[in-house]
């Protein structure tokens, strides 16, 4: 209530200032538009109206109201030029609505809400403190007392009680009633301003749909790019690792076949070497498969897979989790969350120079009620990690963006490094 009361008390002064400034600019511009100067004055009125509207939205946020979606004033894919700055507001309906709000709607609504707020607050404060200051007001020849009039009219009697004391009690009752209902009054008036701001100052539904389509297109492109990068990396890893070992294995077996009849001992040695090559190849293939979906992830869930990942790490790693025991998510979320942590762990071993690290799993709900899964890796290494096109963190960014999530990299030079991803669960 204090924040709502502060919002409402400042409403009318700000609205009157906005009305004075905007009316002066706009009508001066209209009156001088024939000499071209007025054109630029009206443009100034548009931008001032935008500023007053933004102040109104900011004040509503401060009062605790639900966030109002802001309009997109400048397209992100178009450069801001002088001509776009001057002529753009004339064709943008939001500027006209902000001007209408600042010049007409807000002054009218603000006078009403401010008057009710001041009346209700004064009634509460005056009634609750009346027993203190009423005794200092001289009554003189006063013959009208509200408490006596109400008692006589309600009960149909001629009251004989002390009317001064009666008025003090009556004012106290009124003060209690006003004070108890004041939070509901401030909430209702704040919601009235919020509803008007949402309809006049907020973004249009069509803009939200356009942004959603653009975001989905960008996310689809990021997902495709991430998958392409993953396939190229898998192809490179298979070519540099298991494929070379298999070629070596084939050559060793062929040599053993040739020497089997003439030199059995040499053939046995080559076969032993081939067996070792086969084991090493199998281990490399298992390591590659762990980067995608290890069996423990499918059988026991994300938390068990992350604990297994930490146990295999060459750097001491601690796991912290707020997940419930055995809690499961969709296969897509679990697979990608594990992939992110596996990539970060691999980068940790190769580049960080760290001696300790911490893996964090956390499930949370944002202000709009949407559930998120957060995975973080923190280390005490050298820092300096950044997202560079074509490198590992860039691929992770595209993968997470493709899932409509967020990747955060906080790695100042000298450390520590904190990298994490937030993935939507809904």
């Amino acid at each position: 209530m204090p924040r709502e009361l502060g919002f409402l008390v400042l409403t009318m002064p700000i609205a009157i200032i906005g009305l004075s400034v905007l009316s002066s600019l706009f009508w001066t511009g209209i009156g001088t538009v024939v000499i071209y100067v007025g054109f630029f004055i009206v443009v100034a009125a548009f931008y001032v109206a935008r500023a007053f509207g933004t102040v109104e939205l900011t004040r509503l946020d401060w009062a605790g109201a639900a966030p109002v979606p802001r309009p997109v004033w400048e397209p992100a894919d178009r450069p801001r030029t002088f001509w776009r700055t001057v002529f753009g507001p004339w064709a943008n309906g939001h500027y006209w609505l902000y001007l209408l709000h600042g010049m007409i709607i807000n002054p009218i609504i603000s006078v009403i809400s401010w008057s009710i707020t001041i009346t209700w607050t004064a009634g509460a404060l005056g009634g609750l403190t009346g027993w203190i200051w009423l005794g200092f007001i001289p009554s003189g020849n006063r013959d009208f007392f509200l408490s006596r009039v109400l008692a006589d009219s309600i009960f149909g009697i001629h009251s004989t009680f002390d009317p001064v004391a009666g008025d003090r009690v009556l004012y106290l009752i009124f003060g209690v009633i006003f004070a108890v209902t004041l939070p509901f009054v401030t909430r209702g008036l704040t919601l009235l301003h919020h509803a008007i701001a949402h309809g006049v100052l907020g973004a249009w539904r069509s803009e939200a749909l356009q942004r959603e389509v653009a975001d989905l297109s960008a996310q689809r492109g990021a997902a495709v790019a991430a998958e392409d990068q993953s396939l190229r990396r898998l192809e490179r890893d298979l070519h540099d690792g298991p494929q070379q070992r298999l070629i070596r294995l084939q050559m060793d077996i062929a040599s053993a076949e040739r020497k089997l009849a003439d030199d059995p001992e040499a053939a046995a040695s080559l076969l032993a070497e081939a067996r070792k090559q086969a084991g090493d190849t199998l281990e490399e293939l298992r390591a590659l498969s762990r980067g995608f979906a290890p069996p423990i992830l499918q059988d026991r869930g994300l938390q068990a897979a992350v604990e297994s990942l930490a146990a295999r790490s060459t750097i001491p790693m601690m796991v912290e989790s707020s997940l419930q025991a055995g809690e499961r998510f969709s296969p897509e979320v679990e697979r990608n969350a594990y992939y992110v942590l596996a990539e970060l762990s691999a980068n940790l071993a190769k580049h960080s120079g760290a001696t300790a690290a911490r893996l964090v799993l956390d499930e949370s709900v944002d202000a709009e009620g949407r559930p998120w899964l957060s995975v973080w890796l923190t280390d005490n290494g050298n820092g300096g990690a950044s997202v560079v096109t074509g490198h590992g963190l860039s691929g992770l960014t595209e993968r997470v963006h493709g899932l409509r999530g967020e990747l955060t990299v906080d790695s100042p030079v000298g450390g520590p490094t904190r990298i994490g991803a937030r993935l939507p669960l809904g």
Side-chain angles (χ1 to χ4, degrees):
M1 190 201 71
R3 290 192 296 175
E4 294 173 348
L5 186 61
F7 168 82
L8 294 169
V9 168
L10 293 175
T11 293
M12 192 180 73
I14 294 176
I16 296 303
I17 294 173
L19 171 64
S20 303
V21 174
L22 292 175
S23 297
S24 301
L25 285 174
F26 182 75
W27 294 116
T28 300
I30 293 298
T32 57
V33 73
V34 293
I35 58 175
Y36 305 110
V37 176
F39 179 87
F40 297 97
I41 298 178
V42 174
V43 171
F46 283 136
Y47 283 105
V48 173
R50 172 179 166 180
F52 275 102
T54 303
V55 169
E56 180 74 5
L57 295 178
T58 304
R59 292 176 62 245
L60 282 170
D61 293 340
W62 178 81
V68 177
R70 266 58 166 180
V72 179
W73 299 102
E74 301 291 340
D77 57 342
R78 298 179 184 177
R80 184 173 184 177
T81 63
F82 171 78
W83 299 111
R84 188 180 299 281
T85 301
V86 173
F87 291 99
W90 293 88
N92 190 333
H94 285 298
Y95 282 98
W96 290 98
L97 287 176
Y98 272 56
L99 189 65
L100 176 67
H101 180 270
M103 290 180 58
I104 300 177
I105 298 177
N106 199 37
I108 295 175
I109 299 300
S110 296
V111 168
I112 296 173
S113 64
W114 187 86
S115 302
I116 295 175
T117 301
I118 295 300
T119 301
W120 223 272
T121 305
L125 294 177
L128 292 176
T129 60
W131 59 275
I132 299 176
W133 50 265
L134 279 174
F136 296 96
I137 299 178
S139 57
N141 297 323
R142 177 184 174 192
D143 58 358
F144 177 83
F145 295 91
L146 183 59
S147 59
R148 174 173 290 180
V149 172
L150 290 177
D152 293 350
S153 60
I154 293 175
F155 298 104
I157 61 174
H158 181 71
S159 57
T160 58
F161 60 83
D162 183 4
V164 175
D167 275 9
R168 293 183 182 181
V169 174
L170 182 63
Y171 292 162
L172 180 62
I173 294 174
F174 283 160
V176 171
I177 295 174
F178 276 92
V180 170
T181 56
L182 182 60
F184 301 97
V185 173
T186 59
R187 174 58 57 87
L189 294 176
T190 303
L191 290 178
L192 173 64
H193 281 272
H194 179 268
I196 294 173
H198 193 281
V200 180
L201 305 179
W204 297 329
R205 176 63 177 168
S206 58
E207 293 177 330
L209 291 176
Q210 289 175 357
R211 285 199 300 268
E212 185 174 357
V213 170
D215 290 342
L216 290 175
S217 299
Q219 289 158 4
R220 179 180 179 275
V224 171
E227 290 301 324
D228 180 70
Q229 186 174 359
S230 297
L231 290 175
R232 291 180 181 276
R233 177 183 175 184
L234 177 61
E235 180 183 7
R236 183 179 66 251
D237 291 342
L238 288 173
H239 179 271
D240 296 340
Q243 181 175 335
Q244 300 299 323
R245 291 186 180 275
L246 289 173
I247 293 174
R248 171 77 180 277
L249 176 63
Q250 184 182 21
M251 295 173 61
D252 288 347
I253 293 176
S255 298
E257 288 177 346
R258 290 193 298 268
K259 295 183 178 182
L260 189 59
D262 300 335
D263 190 354
E265 293 183 1
S269 176
L270 288 173
L271 289 175
E273 181 68 21
R275 181 172 59 82
K276 184 178 183 302
Q277 290 289 337
D280 293 342
T281 303
L282 181 59
E283 287 299 322
E284 285 201 28
L285 290 174
R286 286 175 177 171
L288 287 175
S289 68
R290 290 193 192 102
F292 294 94
I296 191 175
L297 177 65
Q298 301 176 6
D299 297 338
R300 299 175 54 191
L302 179 62
Q303 185 167 342
V306 170
E307 291 174 351
S308 175
L309 178 67
R312 295 194 310 270
S313 175
T314 57
I315 296 176
M317 191 175 294
M318 180 176 59
V319 178
E320 297 179 6
S321 174
S322 66
L323 307 183
Q324 300 294 328
E327 186 173 3
R328 301 301 301 267
F329 306 102
S330 67
E332 180 185 36
V333 170
E334 290 188 342
R335 183 174 64 254
N336 284 280
Y338 179 84
Y339 181 88
V340 169
L341 290 179
E343 283 291 297
L344 293 178
S345 299
N347 291 338
L348 177 73
K350 294 178 183 178
H351 310 296
S352 70
T355 58
R358 185 172 77 252
L359 286 173
V360 179
L361 302 176
D362 180 52
E363 183 181 2
S364 60
V365 178
D366 63 12
E368 299 179 3
R370 297 176 300 182
W372 292 80
L373 173 66
S374 300
V375 293
W376 292 92
L377 176 62
T378 305
D379 66 73
N380 62 351
N382 302 322
S386 60
V387 179
V388 180
T389 304
H391 290 72
L393 290 181
S394 176
L396 288 182
T397 302
E398 292 177 344
R399 177 179 288 271
V400 172
H401 190 211
L403 295 169
R404 307 188 74 174
E406 305 168 355
L407 184 76
T408 302
V409 178
D410 181 14
S411 181
V413 176
T417 295
R418 184 170 181 264
I419 304 177
R422 294 178 70 237
L423 302 177
L425 295 177

